[in-house]
Amino acid sequence: MTMEFASPPRPPKSYWRDSAWLEAHDAELAELYANQWVAVLSKKVISHSASLEQVLNAVEKQEVNFPVIGFVEKGIQVYKNFASKHSRPNAPIEFH
């Protein structure tokens, strides 16, 4: 039995413009939303949080299509690429 799946919808041109805007304003956004997830639509931040789940929930409530979602890093982040019983996978390593 062969299963066929529909292709996902193509993002509109505005998605790519918002993606470029997010990249071009990275330094400015890092000052405002350091180490947070942001959702961008029409070249505006429509949601932000340290929690990706909160950003996704906010976007869903706003019923918008094709927001750009990205993580805005400030400073140097080092991520573990291994998991153990006592660590969260991909959690940043904190230096004191």
Side-chain angles (χ1 to χ4, degrees), residues 70-81:
F71 188 74
V72 180
E73 286 187 298
K74 182 172 182 182
I76 298 172
Q77 301 287 328
V78 178
Y79 295 90
K80 297 179 187 180
N81 62 358

Side-chain angles (χ1 to χ4, degrees), residues 53-69:
E53 184 177 2
Q54 287 180 354
V55 170
L56 294 175
N57 288 338
V59 167
E60 187 176 333
K61 287 178 185 174
Q62 294 178 49
E63 298 181 359
V64 296
N65 291 319
F66 295 104
V68 173
I69 297 176

Side-chain angles (χ1 to χ4, degrees), residues 31-46:
E31 292 301 319
L32 298 170
Y33 310 110
N35 302 315
Q36 293 186 48
W37 291 94
V38 297
V40 174
L41 187 69
S42 300
K43 300 180 182 179
K44 295 178 186 165
V45 174
I46 60 170

